[in-house]
Amino acid sequence: MQAFETDVQNRIIKLVAGILAQNSLSADVTPAARLVDIGLTSMDMVNLMLGVEAEFDFTIPQGEITPENFQSVDSLLRMVVSQLQPVKAA
């Protein structure tokens, strides 16, 4: 994994852990763990979406706001990297 992807992954894990902490939950946030399985609710997913947009300074396109993209840290990582890559290359 490239340093860029590792940084993005760590930032997503920190966002997820922060949301869990707000709910007084603690879980091992691994890249492959399903977010609903570690305790995120649908409202938490909305907060996560907003957190990702703020953290990475971009608006998630409507077509990317899918259950598949918000299943795990890995799926979020792929979506965020795909959105940031064109900016990074410019």
Side-chain angles (χ1 to χ4, degrees), residues 7-27:
D7 176 60
V8 170
Q9 181 180 45
N10 290 337
R11 290 162 68 184
I12 293 170
I13 288 172
K14 188 175 178 184
L15 285 170
V16 172
I19 291 170
L20 289 171
Q22 288 174 353
N23 294 336
S24 300
L25 297 172
S26 126

Side-chain angles (χ1 to χ4, degrees), residues 27-76:
D28 186 19
V29 183
T30 62
R34 289 177 40 90
L35 298 177
V36 294
D37 291 344
I38 60 173
L40 265 63
T41 64
S42 57
M43 197 60 177
D44 294 332
M45 294 296 187
V46 172
N47 289 332
L48 179 59
M49 179 191 73
L50 296 172
V52 165
E53 290 182 333
E55 177 72 21
F56 297 101
D57 195 29
F58 78 98
T59 301
I60 299 172
Q62 193 68 37
E64 296 295 321
I65 302 172
T66 64
E68 293 78 23
N69 283 339
F70 285 82
Q71 278 189 350
S72 66
V73 170
D74 276 342
S75 62
L76 263 172

